[in-house]
Amino acid sequence: MDKRIDNLIKNWQRRNILGFYCENKEQAVDKILEVIPASSSIGISGSVTLDQLGIVKQLESRGNKLFNQYKSGISREESLELRSQGARQADYFLTSANAISEKGELVFFSGYGNRTAGISYAKNVIVVAGINKITSNIQEALKRSREYATPLNCKRLSWSTPCFEDGICRQETCLFPEYKRMCCQILIIEAEVTPDRPEGRGLASDSQSHRLKVILVGENLGF
Ligand code: SF4
């Protein structure tokens, strides 16, 4: 493990966040399957990283109950309800970050808000991210999220935004009704108050006790 990653994991410890390092996608999938019990329910956010890991299918085929808003054949209302349930009711919330500063701050942009809600208050949260998401500081993390990751996500999902048209963020004009803005909520996690949460939040054993875990993968994943 290189020094930068070692320091990042140590920085997370001081923020009550438990970090794991996996060298590749396969190890990351094994780690997710190890950390989430097969009996747990799981909420997810849209994520190229999760798609590249193929983890949703593996969790479903193992028997986990997924609140999957991307299930084929469901209505828009059903999809919105699953987003809400995934953030509020699931045992675990699985997502990726837009950027991570070397000091350990985690940056998330969200359109509908289910991602920011899940990360903020789900019983257990697992963030999976490739090393391409690491930036030198929080300003660069916000810049990366807005100016690099979101335009690519708008392109991928055909959102009608200025950045969809030419890849350049014009947040002053990216407003309704002309545009359907994707950057509606921004969440920065700086730390957790305690490793777990009181009143039954978090799990009992030491290795499982942190509410927020980050699985850092030594490959480029997502945008
Ligand atoms: S504010 Fe609008 S134009 Fe800028 S990155 Fe977000 S969605 Fe794109």
Side-chain angles (χ1 to χ4, degrees):
M1 198 188 311
D2 78 33
K3 187 93 184 121
R4 189 169 70 138
I5 292 168
D6 195 34
N7 285 341
L8 182 50
I9 288 177
K10 284 183 183 142
N11 290 339
W12 278 329
Q13 277 170 9
R14 301 203 59 215
R15 295 171 183 271
N16 284 329
I17 295 168
L18 184 60
F20 299 99
Y21 177 69
C22 295
E23 282 178 9
N24 52 46
K25 287 199 279 290
E26 293 72 26
Q27 283 185 13
V29 166
D30 288 347
K31 180 54 80 178
I32 296 167
L33 295 173
E34 175 195 317
V35 170
I36 303 179
S39 56
S40 295
S41 60
I42 304 166
I44 54 170
S45 70
S47 160
V48 173
T49 296
L50 297 186
D51 291 348
Q52 288 173 337
L53 294 176
I55 188 66
V56 170
K57 240 184 205 156
Q58 293 206 47
L59 288 163
E60 277 177 334
S61 63
R62 189 179 70 161
N64 286 105
K65 173 181 168 54
L66 267 96
F67 295 97
N68 186 353
Q69 63 267 33
Y70 304 109
K71 245 187 328 202
S72 60
I74 61 174
S75 65
R76 177 175 161 72
E77 287 67 35
E78 287 169 317
S79 173
L80 290 173
E81 180 56 25
L82 284 164
R83 282 170 210 263
S84 168
Q85 290 174 344
R88 288 183 296 113
Q89 297 175 16
D91 300 319
Y92 280 79
F93 191 76
L94 181 59
T95 188
S96 186
N98 293 117
I100 298 169
S101 76
E102 284 183 358
K103 285 189 178 169
E105 295 124 326
L106 305 164
V107 175
F108 306 89
F109 277 40
S110 183
Y112 290 99
N114 63 301
R115 187 155 88 121
T116 44
I119 293 157
S120 298
Y121 211 68
K123 293 173 198 161
N124 296 283
V125 179
I126 297 181
V127 176
V128 193
I131 48 170
N132 52 315
K133 304 278 180 86
I134 302 172
T135 63
S136 52
N137 55 48
I138 186 64
Q139 288 76 22
E140 285 301 314
L142 289 165
K143 191 173 157 70
R144 179 188 200 283
S145 304
R146 172 96 69 190
E147 296 179 14
Y148 178 73
T150 305
L152 289 173
N153 275 318
C154 287
K155 198 90 197 159
R156 174 174 73 95
L157 298 168
S158 299
W159 280 50
S160 78
T161 57
C163 63
F164 169 76
E165 293 164 7
D166 59 9
I168 295 169
C169 173
R170 292 184 186 82
Q171 54 175 308
E172 298 76 17
T173 57
C174 184
L175 296 166
F176 307 95
E178 289 83 3
Y179 294 108
K180 182 185 174 191
R181 183 176 174 124
M182 182 181 275
C183 302
C184 293
Q185 299 189 7
I186 299 170
L187 173 68
I188 301 172
I189 295 282
E190 296 186 340
E192 289 280 295
V193 176
T194 56
D196 60 356
R197 295 277 176 104
E199 306 300 324
R201 290 181 178 276
L203 296 174
S205 73
D206 280 350
S207 65
Q208 293 287 325
S209 65
H210 287 69
R211 186 193 82 97
L212 181 50
K213 301 176 185 69
V214 183
I215 298 174
L216 190 62
V217 189
E219 294 181 359
N220 290 345
L221 288 172
F223 302 141

